[in-house]
Amino acid sequence: MSEQSSSPESTPLGLPEKPKRNRGLVIGIAVVVVVAVAAVVVFLTTRGSDTAEGRTTVRIGTTEASSSYWPVFKDLAAQQNIDLQVVNFSDYTQANPALSQNRIDLNLFQHLLFLTNYNVANNDTLTPITSTYIVPLSLYSRKHNAVADIPAGGTIAIPNDATNQARALLVLQRAKLITLKGGGNVLSTPAEIDKAASKVNVTPVDAAQTVASLPSVDGSVVNNNFALNGGLDPSKALFSDDPADPSAEPYINAIVARAADKDNPVYAKVVQVFKDPRVTDKVKAESKNTAVLVNRPAADLAAITARLSQTIRAGRS
């Protein structure tokens, strides 16, 4: 993640003190002020739209602007007369409000469950306009070489944030290490673990500490970015969820727009540029080939987010 960048705040145009003489000078100043105001209005109304030169600026927010695919993405967009302005945010809570408030035009950082949680909590309608990829969530261990080697009564660390915690519990259930009452869902918590039917104990920790906890636990469920930053080899993971399984749909990442802009033809061009193999090959390489490309139509994404919204609302009622 990188530093937040926000759009510059506009400052009021200061008018000079009215002179007592020289009416021509007053008229000249008034003309200059009118021209300046007109220039500001033109600037504000053309951001994110076609300019006089036939080029378009599209501001796209992300939390991973240092990723290697961005320079390629920007270069290919420029060939389509799109100046892709990457806006960096320091944490995941900032990019959706920025989009909702028109400070950016698109964002690319989140999966559908994260987006739907935001929309429900904020009564918003941000909309996925294309799928990008899924990154598996994996179980690692420095003490055991296989899931079967983890002893009964062992301890597994999982991320403690709501979205990743529920997903981690579902991973452990598929690995047959725990059983969730009622089968579990995207809102599951450790309180729903059927301890009598489970092999291991679960300890929630800060997601950034899941790698550091490995020496003191039998295993840890680690987000891909923390795994790579912590020097873990994804090919050595003991277990991962399956991106091709329907249960992985909530974790499809997406490019997101405001609902009113979901059919914007310029944004459709941005989508096509992202799907260029020269971009997606970089995405896969940076994830050490763990990222699985997903090509689902916008209608599918809308149906998935609608189902997730119902689940989240039901869980909060």
Side-chain angles (χ1 to χ4, degrees):
M1 293 183 289
S2 47
E3 295 180 356
Q4 179 183 10
S5 172
S6 60
S7 57
E9 296 181 358
S10 59
T11 55
L13 293 171
L15 295 176
E17 200 175 307
K18 183 178 179 180
K20 297 178 181 178
R21 297 183 179 85
N22 197 342
R23 187 167 178 266
L25 178 59
V26 172
I27 293 173
I29 291 171
V31 170
V32 170
V33 171
V34 169
V35 171
V37 170
V40 171
V41 171
V42 170
F43 170 75
L44 291 175
T45 57
T46 57
R47 289 191 303 175
S49 60
D50 291 340
T51 64
E53 294 78 20
R55 299 191 68 81
T56 304
T57 296
V58 175
R59 301 157 299 169
I60 183 167
T62 185
T63 56
E64 299 177 350
S66 61
S67 295
S68 62
Y69 67 84
W70 282 107
V72 180
F73 193 3
K74 291 177 65 176
D75 287 346
L76 293 177
Q79 295 174 25
Q80 300 293 322
N81 288 329
I82 298 170
D83 294 322
L84 204 60
Q85 180 184 343
V86 181
V87 181
N88 305 325
F89 293 91
S90 60
D91 67 63
Y92 295 104
T93 66
Q94 299 168 338
N96 280 330
L99 179 58
S100 185
Q101 296 161 12
N102 293 287
R103 291 190 284 125
I104 56 177
D105 304 305
L106 300 170
N107 66 39
L108 170 54
F109 78 100
Q110 65 188 320
H111 52 55
L112 298 181
L113 178 57
F114 189 94
L115 170 65
T116 309
N117 265 316
Y118 169 82
N119 278 341
V120 170
N122 295 277
N123 195 30
D124 212 335
T125 57
L126 299 183
T127 302
I129 60 173
T130 191
S131 58
T132 55
Y133 55 85
I134 291 179
V135 178
L137 188 64
S138 300
L139 171 66
Y140 295 87
S141 177
R142 289 208 170 121
K143 296 181 178 180
H144 311 292
N145 295 320
V147 171
D149 297 336
I150 297 174
T155 300
I156 305 294
I158 64 170
N160 64 2
D161 59 287
T163 298
N164 287 306
Q165 178 174 258
R167 188 181 181 187
L169 292 172
L170 293 173
V171 166
L172 295 180
Q173 180 167 254
R174 291 187 192 100
K176 302 188 185 308
L177 291 172
I178 66 169
T179 298
L180 294 167
K181 299 171 184 176
N185 60 33
V186 295
L187 301 178
S188 291
T189 70
E192 297 169 38
I193 297 174
D194 183 341
K195 294 183 179 180
S198 298
K199 182 179 181 181
V200 299
N201 300 307
V202 169
T203 300
V205 300
D206 186 275
Q209 297 302 312
T210 50
V211 175
S213 69
L214 277 168
S216 59
V217 295
D218 291 284
S220 186
V221 179
V222 185
N223 293 71
N224 200 58
N225 58 328
F226 291 122
L228 296 179
N229 291 339
L232 298 179
D233 181 353
S235 69
K236 304 295 185 183
L238 303 190
F239 190 86
S240 302
D241 52 4
D242 181 4
D245 192 284
S247 63
E249 288 182 339
Y251 311 109
I252 296 173
N253 283 265
I255 296 177
V256 176
R258 290 178 291 276
D261 296 328
K262 64 184 179 65
D263 298 317
N264 185 306
V266 174
Y267 302 163
K269 285 186 180 180
V270 172
V271 165
Q272 290 307 309
V273 172
F274 178 85
K275 292 183 180 296
D276 187 296
R278 287 169 287 184
V279 177
T280 55
D281 285 351
K282 286 283 188 181
V283 171
K284 290 188 290 185
E286 182 147 9
S287 73
K288 293 190 177 179
N289 291 316
T290 57
V292 177
L293 301 179
V294 178
N295 190 20
R296 298 285 292 272
D300 283 5
L301 304 183
I304 294 167
T305 54
R307 291 195 298 270
L308 289 173
S309 180
Q310 290 178 347
T311 300
I312 293 168
R313 292 182 191 280
R316 294 184 176 187
S317 61

